[in-house]
Amino acid sequence: MKSSQYGGLGGSTSARPPANTTLSSLLAQANSLNEVEYDSELPQIRFGIDDIERMSESVAGRGKKGKNERGEGFNLLSNLGVNTSRLTHDISQLPNAAEPSGRPRRRRQAHQSQNQRQHRLEPLGDIGPSYGIGDGDIGAWGRNWHEMVILGGIEVQRQRTINSFQKQFQQRIIQNWEIEKARVLQDELGVTDDEIAGLVGSSSGGLAASALGKSALGASTRRFPMAQSQLGKSTSESREGGLVMHTKMVRYERVIGELNQRRLRKEPFELCQALEDTVKGDSKHPLLPASYHILAYLTYEPSLRESADYASTSTEPFAPGEPIQERQYASAYLGDQKSNHATLLRGRLVMGGRRFLERDFERHVDEVIAKNPKEAALGGVPGIKNKIRAFVDVILKSKESRDSYRPESVNGSLLWAQTYYLLRCGYIDEALNLVAENQQHISRDDWSFPGAFKSALSSTERRLPKTQRDQLYNDFNSHMRNNPNVDQFKYALYKLVGRFELNKKSVKVASTTEDWMWLQLSLVRENSNKEIDLPQDQYDLVDLGKLILKFGNDKFDANGTKPLSWFNLLLFTAQFEKATAYLYSKPQLKTDAVHFAIALNYYGLLRVPSKGEEADLLITDDSDVSYLNFPRLIKQYISPFYRLEPQTALQYAYLVALSSDSPNPAIGQKQKQSALELVRDIVLSSKSWSKLLGSVRADGTKETGLIEKDLKLLKLADEADYLKNVVLSAAEQSLLDSSLIDSIELYHLAGNYDKVIQSVNKSLGQSLSSSSGGTSNSAELNNDNLQSVGLSGAFGGTNDIFQLAHKVHDVYERDFAKRTKVSRIHWETLEVLLKLKLGLRQFHEDRPDLALETFKSTQLLPLDNDLSSISKYAQNFRDILDQPVISNLDEIIITTMKCLHLLSQNLKNSPYGDHSRMIQLNLLKHQSQCLIQFASVLRLRLGADVYRQLSSMSAFF
């Protein structure tokens, strides 16, 4: 009954209200339903008057068209065999589709209105409401659906972009925090890398994954049995490994010390070979000496050029006896990389690397022959040709090797194989002679090779004339390129001479990493002529470096077991910064990485960043140029021992100034400043004043310190420059660190005597506020490490701040030259503070009478019984308080009142009652009143407790 009465949409019409009041009645009933509580049995009105009117018009419109619903289209589809009834039903099920005329339309309309939200397409995401669609408008519904899909896809992509950005941002924040945390822990607290790794659970992986590869600080294992970490227990294995590391570091230190001595004398030093000698016999890293030897060949150290095994040829671009000086390659390596100077340097590095590989391969030839004497059948004292012939016989004795390389016999010998290995060992003249001797027996297919071979090897750039290269290229295309039975040694020789098919940079005979690298160094050409060379023929050292990086370290350093193999490849391709950073990422090779960086920086083959504050060890700019943070690397290395062994640490700190001659003045100045700051930190941390900085005795004589003897290593011009940049800088830093006593000694050594008096005044002024008197001064002195005072010799033997201040006063008072450099106000303040400190000591020694006279002599307190002069005394008191070296003088006023009070009580307790005692009591009482009035004038300058104590004591007068 309720449904038919209130719904108005049922099949019964017995209770239908009059037509003219239908809408008004529905509205009234709807409003009344909203005012009562919800009843599940009552129908829910979901549409307003406007919605009902629109629906009514739609129903009326469908009623008019109902007669034509089954028109020509309906009949046509029926005649074609289409199930029109089923089609009509399917259409009626579409959202907002027109209803078939055979059903009760008003009831269907109400049912459709109730389920409108279920059939309507909802938007994807928060993109606003869907569009309103007219009933039966399928095209509009399709357009709405299409737009919703597009907007939904856009929203999904937007959400993905936001999530990706937030994730990357969070990762970057965490990464930066880890780097900064490691820097702070290592720089400020001296925590080692291993301890940090144990705290955060990080692994010592590759450079990219290692926090130490990016961290600018760290600590090497140092000084044993201190191989034990502070954060964990050490094992016998770690102690043994630490002892080996300690021994290696001591050997390295000797080399660095000798290096600096040579630098002072401006003598060349074969640094790479000296470092190589320190690591010979390293069982854990047998390739380490070879790495230093590679660097020695790259830098052309003198003894290599003079040695017998360093074959000199006509292509040698340098004087045989010319020594390599400090920073010889800096201008070419650090300057414009497109300049001729830089091009010549890269060519020199390529030749040096190739020379090492040739000498190394010759040693391999000797080893193979020695292991196979019967097959080699060398005999006698052979020359290089006979040695290579024997080597070829040994390696090509098996059927497998012959089938693989298919060596071709010419005049009864394996000409191409022998020629290739002569070239591989660097014996160019012998290779040319061998080809010339067998030229008549060479096949007609290779008639152009002997001439091209001679032309190429006789040229400094190994460049062929165009006509000769074209002839050789025709032979290469005709008989070798696609010939499966070609002699692989001959194929390699053609590639080396003509530089053919540079897109295929490997040959079958170059089966090892060393052979492959030698082949690449033989193919690269720095002096490319763009007018002659085609783009595909241009292949230089930079291209080779990119190829190496494309392969990645995993290809050559599988599972991190051969880090030096990858390191050596980076050396060959002149990627020195990346090589050092990669080696430093290996915990067992950090010490070696530091000394490789030192050797590179000594010869000028290391780029350093323009700023030294970066936390990253390796920095790469937008131009893909890498920089190594050398100052931070050195600071990280010396951080475990620079406090205990400052002399050794200084030898490493001097090396930071090597880069001060950088072509970029900003970088050079920054490196020099970094070296000076590092020296300053070593001085301040070690406290070895007299040893490192020297001393000035009381009679004015001076003792030179270690650093002053090494001014040239810090790029300092003279003593004045040294005092300004080292001693004075250390004093100012010490003052910032609140090490007042240290700053006193350092300022005195730097000759800034006014600053000495200021520091003494500050220390003495702060000690006035101590209520425990002279007893605390000694403790205060010990806390500041004052017992070690004696850097300059002039202030030695002091036990507390009062004695130190007295010594400073006496020394400067006797030396008129020093006295004149002290400002008048600071000197007068020192004299006043000395009297005040003396008065406090006399009071605590139970001599209030002496203390009162001392305070009166300062002319700071109104103790002359003249009330009219209180304002003058107050002004003097304000003047001394306004100085930043004086914190407060409350203790002086209170102590003075205590002196007056004690003297007054002693007079009152005296058994003698003469007239003079009364006069004295009145005098003390008057002085106390003057003191109270004086304090009231300085109300805003004194503490609140001062007036309470003064008032309480004045009551006893």
Side-chain angles (χ1 to χ4, degrees), residues 814-832:
R814 290 195 302 267
D815 194 328
F816 182 75
K818 293 183 177 64
R819 172 67 180 81
T820 55
K821 295 181 180 180
V822 180
S823 64
R824 181 184 60 82
I825 186 172
H826 293 155
W827 184 259
E828 292 176 353
T829 301
L830 174 62
E831 292 181 331
V832 170

Side-chain angles (χ1 to χ4, degrees), residues 42 59 82 107 149 334 347 407 475 593 748 879:
L42 294 176
V59 170
V82 177
R107 190 174 180 83
V149 169
L334 305 177
D475 291 344
H748 177 75
D879 292 340

Side-chain angles (χ1 to χ4, degrees), residues 797-809:
T798 55
N799 296 321
D800 57 28
I801 188 63
F802 182 62
Q803 292 183 13
L804 177 61
H806 256 300
K807 277 214 168 187
V808 171
H809 181 272

Side-chain angles (χ1 to χ4, degrees), residues 361-371 387 391:
F361 186 78
E362 186 176 358
R363 285 188 290 269
H364 171 68
V365 169
D366 294 335
E367 292 174 358
V368 171
I369 293 175
K371 291 180 180 179
K387 187 189 296 186
F391 175 75

Side-chain angles (χ1 to χ4, degrees), residues 206 548-560 566 582 586:
I548 291 292
L549 293 178
K550 184 178 180 181
F551 287 142
N553 62 292
D554 292 337
K555 184 176 180 61
F556 300 94
D557 181 19
N559 300 322
W566 176 248
Y582 180 79
K586 306 301 177 181

Side-chain angles (χ1 to χ4, degrees), residues 7-19:
L9 298 174
S12 175
T13 59
S14 59
R16 185 183 300 275

Side-chain angles (χ1 to χ4, degrees), residues 418-482:
Q418 294 178 22
T419 303
Y420 172 79
Y421 283 120
L422 281 172
L423 203 62
R424 177 69 178 85
C425 291
Y427 291 95
I428 297 175
D429 294 337
E430 287 76 3
L432 289 173
N433 293 335
L434 183 63
V435 173
E437 291 171 1
N438 295 274
Q439 184 172 358
Q440 296 179 354
H441 305 283
I442 294 177
S443 172
R444 293 186 61 184
D445 294 339
D446 303 312
W447 69 272
S448 61
F449 179 80
F453 189 58
K454 183 177 181 180
S455 298
L457 296 185
S458 300
S459 171
T460 55
E461 300 178 5
R462 293 194 175 184
R463 187 185 296 275
L464 285 175
K466 187 177 186 305
T467 56
Q468 206 168 21
R469 187 178 187 275
D470 292 341
Q471 291 174 358
L472 189 67
Y473 188 61
N474 291 334
D475 291 344
F476 178 77
N477 281 336
S478 301
H479 311 294
M480 301 186 64
R481 171 174 289 184
N482 300 318

Side-chain angles (χ1 to χ4, degrees), residues 250-307:
V250 171
R251 292 177 180 175
Y252 275 139
E253 289 166 6
R254 294 172 185 168
V255 175
I256 299 304
E258 184 179 358
L259 169 66
N260 285 327
Q261 292 302 314
R262 294 286 190 94
R263 292 176 59 205
L264 286 174
R265 299 194 297 266
K266 295 185 177 181
E267 298 176 359
F269 184 56
E270 298 165 3
L271 179 57
C272 296
Q273 295 180 86
L275 294 174
E276 179 187 352
D277 293 337
T278 64
V279 296
K280 281 185 176 178
D282 192 332
S283 57
K284 289 187 177 181
H285 306 287
L287 289 179
L288 191 55
S291 299
Y292 280 116
H293 208 56
I294 291 171
L295 192 55
Y297 269 87
L298 293 175
T299 56
Y300 293 87
E301 289 194 345
S303 62
L304 288 174
R305 296 201 301 270
E306 297 168 0
S307 61

